[in-house]
Amino acid sequence: MVDHLREYYKIGDERVLEAVNRVPRHLFVPDALRSQAYKDNALPIAARQTISQPFIVARMTELLQLKGHERVLEIGGGSGYQAAVLSALTRRVYTIERLPTLAAELKEKVVRLGLRNVSVRCDDGTNGWPIYSPFDAILVAAGGPEIPQPLADQLEIGGRLVVPVGHTQTSQMLVRITRTADGFIEEECGACVFVPLIGQHGWKADGADSKN
Ligand code: SAH
């Protein structure tokens, strides 16, 4: 899988490739899909959500430019796979998952796998996690209609926010925001497809969204 990420997708950050190589993805996918854990696909997890495709995990992580000392916020903890990759690469990871069943499973998994530098919270992550802010890096693993302003505001000067943004719920552009002393720099980093970011600064929940 790592050779594919390096050669086909041109992921160049060796620390990211090493972290992806080290994190056992099969521990984050449902038992019935374990044989597919090392294929380059997103896969369904509980509550109609997905574990992200390895390429997009590697790409977003690379865009955060982590050196090892950072405090990172993730929105959309889901299966915990992205959080585990971040955990291997940096000092401290805070992850927020809005669905209580997924958040409870994630808390249990973090303890079971001994990911001691990962904290999990069940909430609407579009408001960030103010008491631990500012963050050196923020990664949003679900697609919203716009950049959630509270997340940009919770970046350290020099900090990076990577977020999928799209006018429809079915496709997005990966955007990187870098906070500077006098504002924000915005870069477009390629098309992507994520499950919807639902919350105060995301899409409104619809009737089919059971919040469980
Ligand atoms: N990083 C995860 C990807 C999970 S899919 C992984 O590696 O598996 C995206 C997740 O974002 C879903 O679990 C969904 O419930 C969650 N989500 C959507 N909107 C959210 C919000 N406003 N706050 C926190 N989590 C949210």
Side-chain angles (χ1 to χ4, degrees), residues 49-51 74 76-77 79 82 96-98 102 124-125 141 196 198:
Q49 303 303 321
T50 54
I51 173 172
E74 181 198 19
S79 72
Q82 172 75 72
I96 307 180
E97 169 55 53
R98 70 179 277 273
L102 289 181
D124 171 10
I198 296 172

Side-chain angles (χ1 to χ4, degrees), residues 19-20 22-34 37-38 43-46 49-52 57 74 77-87 102 105-106 108-115 118:
V20 170
R22 249 194 355 236
V23 175
R25 191 167 183 257
H26 66 275
L27 299 181
F28 298 87
V29 307
D31 287 350
L33 296 173
R34 283 205 167 172
Y38 297 96
L43 293 169
I45 56 172
Q49 303 303 321
T50 54
I51 173 172
S52 303
V57 168
E74 181 198 19
S79 72
Y81 177 63
Q82 172 75 72
V85 170
L86 292 171
S87 150
L102 289 181
E105 259 180 61
L106 184 51
E108 188 263 331
K109 207 178 285 176
V110 158
V111 172
R112 183 157 37 86
L113 300 179
L115 303 175
V118 178

Side-chain angles (χ1 to χ4, degrees), residues 1-211:
M1 193 162 90
V2 165
D3 289 343
H4 189 61
L5 293 174
R6 187 187 285 115
E7 277 142 37
Y8 183 78
Y9 289 114
K10 310 292 178 212
I11 301 292
D13 184 333
E14 286 296 327
R15 288 184 74 243
V16 171
L17 292 168
E18 194 194 310
V20 170
N21 200 27
R22 249 194 355 236
V23 175
R25 191 167 183 257
H26 66 275
L27 299 181
F28 298 87
V29 307
D31 287 350
L33 296 173
R34 283 205 167 172
S35 64
Q36 296 182 49
Y38 297 96
K39 295 192 175 141
D40 187 34
N41 290 332
L43 293 169
I45 56 172
R48 296 189 301 132
Q49 303 303 321
T50 54
I51 173 172
S52 303
Q53 180 190 7
F55 156 62
I56 204 76
V57 168
R59 178 81 178 122
M60 291 179 89
T61 308
E62 180 171 65
L63 287 168
L64 294 179
Q65 299 170 303
L66 303 175
K67 301 283 180 266
H69 61 273
E70 295 86 355
R71 294 165 64 254
V72 181
L73 175 66
E74 181 198 19
I75 310 305
S79 72
Y81 177 63
Q82 172 75 72
V85 170
L86 292 171
S87 150
L89 280 168
T90 197
R91 185 156 63 90
R92 183 95 221 149
V93 179
Y94 301 88
T95 183
I96 307 180
E97 169 55 53
R98 70 179 277 273
L99 294 176
T101 48
L102 289 181
E105 259 180 61
L106 184 51
K107 281 184 187 165
E108 188 263 331
K109 207 178 285 176
V110 158
V111 172
R112 183 157 37 86
L113 300 179
L115 303 175
R116 296 221 186 100
N117 61 346
V118 178
S119 306
V120 181
R121 171 176 172 189
C122 183
D123 207 344
D124 171 10
T126 63
N127 289 310
W129 199 334
I131 54 163
Y132 291 121
S133 71
F135 298 97
D136 302 296
I138 303 178
L139 185 157
V140 184
E146 59 191 21
I147 293 159
Q149 191 59 43
L151 299 184
D153 292 342
Q154 287 175 35
L155 278 180
E156 185 69 84
I157 306 287
R160 285 83 54 204
L161 161 65
V162 174
V163 51
V165 181
H167 297 301
T168 70
Q169 290 194 8
T170 46
S171 81
Q172 300 92 24
M173 174 59 71
L174 204 51
V175 177
R176 177 167 67 183
I177 303 290
T178 304
R179 185 166 201 172
T180 66
D182 31 46
F184 296 97
I185 297 169
E186 191 171 323
E187 298 159 88
E188 293 193 345
C189 306
C192 55
V193 180
F194 275 86
V195 297
L197 178 72
I198 296 172
Q200 194 177 349
H201 301 273
W203 299 103
K204 302 281 163 277
D206 64 24
D209 181 73
S210 56
K211 200 174 190 300

